[in-house]
Amino acid sequence: AQKITQTQPGMFVQEKEAVTLDCTYDTSDPSYGLFWYKQPSSGEMIFLIYQGSYDQQNATEGRYSLNFQKARKSANLVISASQLGDSAMYFCAMREGMEYGNKLVFGAGTILRVKS
Amino acid sequence: DTEVTQTPKHLVMGMTNKKSLKCEQHMGHRAMYWYKQKAKKPPELMFVYSYEKLSINESVPSRFSPECPNSSLLNLHLHALQPEDSALYLCASSPSGLMNTEAFFGQGTRLTVV
């Protein structure tokens, strides 16, 4: 079964506007972590933001915030004030459980294009 | 130093060749990973090492052979690859691999099998 689902293959946003990238997940483990990564065309994976399953507040990192709705099992990424450099592939990812060295599993990704 | 360094950045190899990919980190991380990524697809986990021991093998064909000689180094030995193995190979490390630790990625090796 798909653990991480990103339903938007591609998104466009106007420069300086906000955009929301969707992510839903599936797990029966009460302990899990959710991550967002950015991958520019150069290939490197850049960590953006983390949300833990026990965190009471939504995570924020600069222009990035995570809209965490635990009951709905969704962890959407909100990018405020989009910039041309935000154009990239964005991946949602999850770790489950408390085992050492466990997996980081990725969703299919969303390609974001910022228009000037 | 917050880098994961992968070498080479690009590699072209024939189907009968033997080559190795190298990954190095000096952050003291004890979990290291190999991922394979095809174009416009997510990274797919291949192997996980925890404390220099192989902890996860995602049913990867034996033509891919990982090695972790010490806590800073991770190698991926390649032998008798197929053209469909052409991909971006990403190495990552994390402090522990526990649920609240992000993985730091290298820039990858773009592998072409001819």
Side-chain angles (χ1 to χ4, degrees):
Chain A
Q2 193 83 331
K3 290 279 191 179
I4 299 281
T5 302
Q6 295 180 254
T7 57
Q8 305 153 314
M11 291 280 287
F12 284 95
V13 64
Q14 196 66 38
E15 195 177 7
K16 298 180 184 159
E17 292 186 351
V19 63
T20 297
L21 305 184
D22 294 342
C23 173
T24 58
Y25 59 92
D26 181 29
T27 180
S28 56
D29 198 313
S31 302
Y32 55 91
L34 297 157
F35 304 81
W36 278 92
Y37 283 84
K38 172 185 177 181
Q39 188 175 39
S41 56
S42 54
E44 77 267 33
M45 296 284 282
I46 303 167
F47 166 71
L48 298 177
I49 197 166
Y50 162 79
Q51 181 82 43
S53 58
Y54 298 115
D55 293 342
Q56 297 296 313
Q57 295 195 328
N58 288 344
T60 60
E61 289 286 348
R63 293 188 298 112
Y64 304 108
S65 60
L66 202 151
N67 184 0
F68 181 46
Q69 297 187 46
K70 193 170 182 177
R72 297 180 60 188
K73 293 189 175 179
S74 75
N76 298 339
L77 177 70
V78 180
I79 305 174
S80 62
S82 296
Q83 302 171 356
L84 295 177
D86 294 334
S87 293
M89 176 76 96
Y90 288 80
F91 291 103
C92 181
M94 179 172 68
R95 283 193 197 278
E96 297 171 279
M98 298 299 291
E99 292 176 8
Y100 199 98
N102 57 16
K103 305 179 191 183
L104 185 64
V105 177
F106 289 83
T110 297
I111 298 175
L112 177 66
R113 292 284 178 256
V114 180
K115 300 184 290 185
S116 59
Chain B
D1 184 359
T2 57
E3 280 192 353
V4 176
T5 303
Q6 288 188 245
T7 54
K9 291 198 170 19
H10 300 272
L11 178 62
V12 179
M13 62 183 289
M15 289 188 284
T16 59
N17 291 160
K18 285 185 182 181
K19 296 287 184 183
S20 296
L21 308 184
K22 181 179 172 181
C23 174
E24 195 165 3
Q25 57 88 14
H26 296 287
M27 296 177 279
H29 291 174
R30 305 315 297 267
M32 296 187 76
Y33 312 80
W34 280 115
Y35 284 86
K36 173 183 176 181
Q37 187 180 25
K38 301 286 261 184
K40 293 186 171 36
K41 296 290 187 184
E44 295 176 6
L45 183 66
M46 300 175 73
F47 303 104
V48 180
Y49 273 82
S50 298
Y51 282 96
E52 296 113 70
K53 292 198 185 322
L54 183 65
S55 59
I56 296 176
N57 176 343
E58 292 286 90
S59 303
V60 178
S62 59
R63 58 185 183 270
F64 295 92
S65 175
E67 179 197 19
C68 190
N70 60 57
S71 60
S72 300
L73 279 176
L74 186 66
N75 297 323
L76 186 63
H77 303 298
L78 313 173
H79 172 56
L81 295 192
Q82 303 296 310
E84 59 265 29
D85 296 322
S86 298
L88 179 68
Y89 288 83
L90 291 163
C91 173
S93 71
S94 61
S96 67
L98 293 175
M99 67 172 199
N100 60 345
T101 57
E102 73 268 28
F104 294 79
F105 283 82
Q107 292 206 319
T109 295
R110 291 193 186 274
L111 174 68
T112 303
V113 181
V114 297

